Amino acid sequence: MDPKETIKRNLKRRSESVNIAYLHDDIPMPTWIELSLIDVCNRKCVFCPKSDPKVAPDTFQKMSRNIIDKIHDQLLEIHFKGTISLCGYGEPLLHKDIGYIVQKLSKVSKVEIITNGDVLSSKRLQELYLSDVSKVLVSMYDGPDQVKKFKDMTLKANVPEEMVILRDRWYDKHNDFGVKLTNRAGTVSVGEQEPINTYSTCFYPTYQFLIDWNGDIFLCPQDWQRRVSMGNMMQQSIFEIWTGKTLTEFRKNLLKGNRCENPCKTCNANGTLLGKNHAEAWKNFYKI
């Protein structure tokens, strides 16, 4: 497997969902929402902020059914047409209510799970399939031998082969660990990092956001230090936050190429790989 080819395939797959910009009340809507279901991970990868408990400690906090139900209801209200990704700041399969979460959210959207696969089994795969999961993306960190393990697991589970996507992540720092390596908005420095200020324009807030376990909404999944909350969906609706003052300010600045506030000014991520259609829609809306 080639790590660069894996990343290309991942971007192509995501673009099929992300790049379909649509309007609600004449406003461009998000098409990619990431949920951080639980604030704990059983691994401590060196390129991830979870490797440093001073930066991203395991708090074991988890998203409640009440928040899941509200996400479902509010996305129905805005006629959401994108994908929900279960990943965030922890390992989603450690959430014991994962079956309910997938089943509930799959009624309003495609639902993907990104997992390290450590607690995955044939039984769990079958349960997720019956809950109507769209994709299960397994990041393999231990070596090529894991390919056969997860292919055999998929076969035993009797689920569609295309439901499970295996991603090679067992490389060293000279191959960026097989991921699209970033400094997570100034949080990690491992590997051959791009300098800050390499990129200026960013499309992230034109098409996506992240909802944390307690309903806090963050600009994008790069902000591992949770520096600036856009709002909390238990106090305001997702639509109100999406169109609110804080997110609007960040969105306008980033469309103009101004990474002038935290967490953006310490971030080295290329935020223009996806979301071009959304960026153009927002520029027209703001008359930029």
Side-chain angles (χ1 to χ4, degrees):
M1 300 177 81
D2 182 340
K4 292 182 180 179
E5 287 302 315
T6 304
I7 292 170
K8 286 180 183 178
R9 287 195 299 270
N10 186 55
L11 288 172
K12 184 178 184 297
R13 177 188 56 80
R14 282 191 58 175
S15 69
E16 293 173 358
S17 176
V18 166
N19 288 337
I20 304 174
Y22 74 101
L23 304 179
H24 177 66
D25 291 341
D26 297 324
I27 296 172
M29 287 288 100
T31 51
W32 193 271
I33 298 175
E34 188 165 318
L35 302 191
S36 187
L37 298 183
I38 188 167
D39 193 21
V40 62
C41 188
N42 59 302
R43 287 193 177 235
K44 298 292 179 280
C45 303
V46 295
F47 56 84
C48 175
K50 276 292 184 189
S51 62
D52 186 349
K54 294 179 181 177
V55 173
D58 289 334
T59 68
F60 296 88
Q61 303 279 9
K62 61 182 181 180
M63 192 173 283
S64 67
R65 285 195 177 192
N66 187 26
I67 291 181
I68 293 297
D69 292 346
K70 281 186 176 292
I71 292 172
H72 168 275
D73 295 346
Q74 291 184 23
L75 292 184
L76 274 181
E77 289 175 6
I78 64 172
H79 309 290
F80 183 66
K81 294 181 174 65
T83 297
I84 295 173
S85 175
L86 307 182
C87 182
Y89 304 128
E91 167 52 51
L93 291 186
L94 294 178
H95 198 302
K96 294 183 179 179
D97 233 358
I98 189 69
Y100 174 85
I101 292 168
V102 173
Q103 188 174 45
K104 183 74 176 184
L105 296 179
S106 65
K107 294 176 182 178
V108 71
S109 165
K110 291 187 293 184
V111 178
E112 296 188 356
I113 296 175
I114 299 178
T115 175
N116 58 38
D118 289 350
V119 296
L120 197 61
S121 65
S122 295
K123 181 182 178 182
R124 180 69 64 87
L125 267 179
Q126 192 173 67
E127 290 170 349
L128 292 171
Y129 172 67
L130 294 174
S131 297
D132 209 17
V133 74
S134 175
K135 299 288 183 186
V136 177
L137 287 80
V138 183
S139 298
M140 303 175 295
Y141 298 110
D142 297 337
D145 291 346
Q146 287 186 289
V147 175
K148 184 179 186 306
K149 170 188 172 182
F150 288 112
K151 284 189 174 182
D152 289 347
M153 187 184 295
T154 302
L155 186 64
K156 185 178 178 181
N158 194 29
V159 300
E161 185 178 353
E162 63 271 16
M163 187 187 95
V164 181
I165 298 177
L166 302 182
R167 308 195 299 180
D168 43 333
R169 296 286 189 266
W170 54 72
Y171 303 95
D172 59 21
K173 64 181 181 180
H174 301 296
N175 286 288
D176 292 342
F177 307 99
V179 301
K180 192 67 181 175
L181 191 64
T182 73
N183 67 358
R184 308 296 171 87
T187 304
V188 295
S189 58
V190 68
E192 298 176 7
Q193 292 279 354
E194 289 274 6
I196 297 172
N197 297 325
T198 300
Y199 306 105
S200 54
T201 305
C202 180
F203 299 159
Y204 274 131
T206 68
Y207 71 89
Q208 70 157 37
F209 54 84
L210 179 145
I211 305 178
D212 206 358
W213 66 269
N214 63 351
D216 281 342
I217 289 182
F218 291 97
L219 191 65
C220 78
Q222 299 292 335
D223 186 14
W224 270 76
Q225 294 185 47
R226 298 171 168 97
R227 279 172 278 196
V228 184
S229 171
M230 304 294 110
N232 185 288
M233 58 161 292
M234 301 301 283
Q235 300 166 358
Q236 297 174 279
S237 71
I238 287 174
F239 183 74
E240 288 172 330
I241 295 171
W242 178 248
T243 58
K245 181 179 178 181
T246 304
L247 192 43
T248 295
E249 182 181 346
F250 274 92
R251 189 182 292 123
K252 284 182 175 179
N253 278 333
L254 291 171
L255 283 172
K256 294 175 182 176
N258 297 329
R259 297 197 184 195
C260 52
E261 301 287 344
N262 276 323
C264 306
K265 69 181 182 181
T266 57
C267 182
N268 67 353
N270 181 357
T272 62
L273 295 174
L274 298 170
K276 182 179 179 180
N277 293 340
H278 291 74
E280 291 302 317
W282 278 110
K283 286 179 181 178
N284 291 332
F285 182 82
Y286 292 138
K287 297 182 173 23
I288 295 177

